[in-house]
Amino acid sequence: MADLAAQWRLKTLLVVPVKLGSISQTVANIALAEQKKVNLGGIILNCLEPRTETEIEQLTPIDLIQSLTNCPVLGVFPFIEDRRDLDKLASVVASWPEIKLPAHLNCLLRRGKRHKAQGKADSQHLSI
Ligand SMILES: Nc1ncnc2c1ncn2[C@@H]1O[C@H](COP(=O)(O)OP(=O)(O)OP(=O)(O)O)[C@@H](O)[C@H]1O
Ligand SMILES: C[C@H](N)[C@@H](CCCCCC(=O)O)NC(=O)O
């Protein structure tokens, strides 16, 4: 995959699972990506299970990861019970501060908003 991403000059995000060993895994994967000349856009931290803020900070300290990799951490994705819940997905992405979202995440945001708007329209309709 790294070869394809490099050859096609795709902007690439590294998704890092929040767990013990993540720091060294991230450093290794970023180094590998740079060696392969992948165009890195940043890092997303992803919770594969419910995590507290403290756990996230301990397992994947953002400042340390950024300083070791020289690559921005763009956001933290929480554990999401129902991944079909577009409102929830959209609200997670929308809460990420001042980042230029890759096209597919902007698309998710628009879908989430549309979904929400449709939900509202339905409940108004039902209440008439
Ligand atoms: N933020 C999250 N919240 C809830 N479940 C998650 C989350 N991230 C991943 N998962 C779950 O973890 C599993 C693995 O996720 P996913 O397929 O995205 O990982 P992957 O790294 O692409 O796996 P592989 O490389 O083996 O294909 C899936 O069942 C998915 O539902
Ligand atoms: C910075 C810490 N010394 C380090 C400890 C990792 C232990 C990993 C054990 C394992 O992967 O089985 N954490 C980390 O790389 O995320």
Side-chain angles (χ1 to χ4, degrees):
M1 285 309 273
D3 291 334
L4 273 188
Q7 277 170 29
W8 294 355
R9 298 192 184 86
L10 301 174
K11 189 109 176 184
T12 304
L13 299 177
L14 180 68
V15 179
V16 171
V18 176
K19 62 179 183 186
L20 189 63
S22 289
I23 303 169
S24 47
Q25 285 280 342
T26 305
V27 172
N29 281 307
I30 292 285
L32 198 59
E34 281 170 353
Q35 191 189 19
K36 296 270 181 188
K37 307 218 178 316
V38 171
N39 178 11
L40 281 167
I43 296 168
I44 305 284
L45 304 177
N46 183 34
C47 300
L48 297 177
E49 58 192 280
R51 293 285 189 192
T52 63
E53 295 273 323
T54 312
E55 285 175 321
I56 296 172
E57 186 48 38
Q58 284 169 351
L59 293 166
T60 46
I62 290 177
D63 288 348
L64 179 62
I65 289 177
Q66 290 186 145
S67 73
L68 289 173
T69 60
N70 213 15
C71 191
V73 173
L74 301 178
V76 180
F77 211 87
F79 176 78
I80 291 192
E81 200 70 53
D82 179 7
R83 282 173 302 137
R84 290 164 304 176
D85 183 346
L86 290 181
D87 282 349
K88 176 74 186 159
L89 291 174
S91 71
V92 168
V93 175
S95 73
W96 291 350
E98 306 204 9
I99 57 168
K100 219 169 136 223
L101 292 172
H104 62 289
L105 291 183
N106 271 326
C107 169
L108 171 65
L109 200 55
R110 279 199 300 278
R111 277 186 69 182
K113 282 184 180 156
R114 208 163 51 232
H115 186 75
K116 202 169 186 171
Q118 278 167 5
K120 273 193 188 146
D122 285 350
S123 54
Q124 275 165 10
H125 180 71
L126 285 174
S127 68
I128 290 169

